[in-house]
């Protein structure tokens, strides 16, 4: 009996590796596709229970103990004294979501914060290699998928290699988002992954649902084809037919 050639042996070995590896990899592919299709059916509002649980801020009681300069007409959600850029400020937040900053003693309004204050906050927040502020501008509308509010906000661009940007709420002085080239690459890839090329956060698109169902069918049919190619199954089938 002739010895199988090296090419034939490699072909047989490759086929076996491919077959058994396909089982393990195929199981995960099936899970990816199947769960992706199921998630596309779900409404995010229901997933987060937003349709039955209100997250609206509650108003402070009229008789709540507050600084003398704060006037409470039932529209306040919170009055908090905190640190901002190394200084004490009092943040007044209303139930409608609006925020204003004040001097804790006099009540003088400090917001919206200035460009200089925003730059100082940005430099204080930076923990990477030493850098500078490359650009500063006020924005009043969404910036692609990078930032969607609240507005107005300061867009601060650092002079680092990753072109890092942070967005600071002009009303409260808080940092709302930090974006870099790494985030932008991830955002682009994420959009391709969930098949949402504009908003990057919709997992209920028909595209994703259709491809999820199609991928699930392909994975299942692949297991059927793989089962038919298994040697033991073929031999067992032949024996049953012979009997």
């Amino acid at each position: 009996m002739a010895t199988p050639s090296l090419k034939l042996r490699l072909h047989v070995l490759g086929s076996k590796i491919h077959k058994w590896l396909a089982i393990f990899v195929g199981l995960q592919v099936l899970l990816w596709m199947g769960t992706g299709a199921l998630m596309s059916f779900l409404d995010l509002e229901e997933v987060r229970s937003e349709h039955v649980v209100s997250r609206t801020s509650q108003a402070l009681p009229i008789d709540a103990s507050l600084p003398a300069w704060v006037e409470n007409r039932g529209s306040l959600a919170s009055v908090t004294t905190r640190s901002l850029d190394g200084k004490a400020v009092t943040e007044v937040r209303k139930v409608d979501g609006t925020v204003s900053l004040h001097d804790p003693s006099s009540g003088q309004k400090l917001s919206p914060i200035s460009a200089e204050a925003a730059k100082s906050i940005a430099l204080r927040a930076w923990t990477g290699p030493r850098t500078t502020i490359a650009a500063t501008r006020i924005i009043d509308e969404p910036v692609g998928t990078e930032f969607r509010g609240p507005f107005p906000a300061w867009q601060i661009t650092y002079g680092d290699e990753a072109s890092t940007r942070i967005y600071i709420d002009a009303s409260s002085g808080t940092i709302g988002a930090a974006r870099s080239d790494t985030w932008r690459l991830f955002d682009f890839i994420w959009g391709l992954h969930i098949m949402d090329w504009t908003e990057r956060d919709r997992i209920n698109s028909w595209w994703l649902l259709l491809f999820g169902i199609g991928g699930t069918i392909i994975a299942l049919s692949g297991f059927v084809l793989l089962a038919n190619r298994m040697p033991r199954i073929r031999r067992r089938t032949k024996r049953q037919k012979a009997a």
Side-chain angles (χ1 to χ4, degrees), residues 128-160:
R130 189 172 181 177
T131 188
T132 58
I133 301 298
T136 303
R137 71 185 181 104
I138 193 76
I139 58 172
D140 296 295
E141 57 184 21
V143 181
T145 59
E146 277 197 11
F147 185 70
R148 298 174 183 173
F151 303 106
W154 287 103
Q155 182 195 74
I156 310 293
T157 304
Y158 294 101
D160 63 317

Side-chain angles (χ1 to χ4, degrees), residues 6-52:
L6 176 62
K7 182 177 180 181
L8 179 59
R9 291 200 301 271
L10 289 175
H11 176 77
V12 172
L13 177 63
S15 297
K16 290 181 178 179
I17 293 174
H18 178 80
K19 178 177 61 180
W20 291 108
L21 189 60
I23 294 177
F24 296 103
V25 175
L27 285 172
Q28 185 58 51
V29 171
L30 178 60
L31 288 174
W32 279 335
M33 295 298 182
T35 54
L38 287 174
M39 285 191 294
S40 297
F41 277 109
L42 301 177
D43 187 341
L44 275 182
E45 290 187 359
E46 291 190 21
V47 171
R48 298 169 179 167
S49 298
E50 294 177 354
H51 63 303
V52 291

Side-chain angles (χ1 to χ4, degrees), residues 32-236:
W32 279 335
M33 295 298 182
T35 54
L38 287 174
M39 285 191 294
S40 297
F41 277 109
L42 301 177
D43 187 341
L44 275 182
E45 290 187 359
E46 291 190 21
V47 171
R48 298 169 179 167
S49 298
E50 294 177 354
H51 63 303
V52 291
V53 178
S54 174
R55 290 167 175 80
T56 304
S57 299
Q58 295 183 353
L60 284 171
I62 298 296
D63 59 353
S65 179
L66 299 171
W69 52 265
V70 178
E71 186 177 4
N72 186 6
R73 297 181 178 178
S75 61
L76 297 182
S78 65
V79 179
T80 309
T81 299
R82 60 180 178 85
S83 176
L84 178 67
D85 196 25
K87 300 176 182 178
V89 296
T90 297
E91 178 187 278
V92 177
R93 187 177 296 270
K94 297 184 177 181
V95 292
D96 62 2
T98 57
V99 182
S100 59
L101 299 177
H102 301 263
D103 180 273
S105 301
S106 65
Q108 178 185 356
K109 191 174 182 181
L110 304 176
S111 57
I113 62 173
S114 65
E116 291 303 316
K119 285 193 252 185
S120 180
I121 293 170
L123 288 174
R124 187 181 291 270
W126 181 258
T127 60
R130 189 172 181 177
T131 188
T132 58
I133 301 298
T136 303
R137 71 185 181 104
I138 193 76
I139 58 172
D140 296 295
E141 57 184 21
V143 181
T145 59
E146 277 197 11
F147 185 70
R148 298 174 183 173
F151 303 106
W154 287 103
Q155 182 195 74
I156 310 293
T157 304
Y158 294 101
D160 63 317
E161 294 182 354
S163 300
T164 305
R165 292 176 184 166
I166 64 171
Y167 294 87
I168 300 175
D169 186 346
S171 298
S172 67
T174 56
I175 298 175
R179 307 302 189 210
S180 65
D181 287 342
T182 303
W183 181 91
R184 295 175 193 108
L185 175 62
F186 178 88
D187 183 56
F188 174 73
I189 295 173
W190 174 251
L192 296 179
H193 180 70
I194 65 172
M195 304 188 71
D196 182 6
W197 301 280
T198 55
E199 300 298 323
R200 308 282 206 272
D201 59 3
R202 294 175 297 183
I203 64 169
N204 302 94
S205 67
W206 281 105
W207 283 110
L208 185 60
L209 178 60
L210 291 175
F211 275 81
I213 294 174
T216 302
I217 295 173
I218 290 174
L220 289 173
S221 60
F223 278 112
V224 173
L225 294 175
L226 182 62
N228 289 332
R229 294 184 59 187
M230 298 293 283
R232 291 183 180 178
I233 294 178
R234 287 204 305 268
R235 286 197 297 267
R236 188 180 304 168

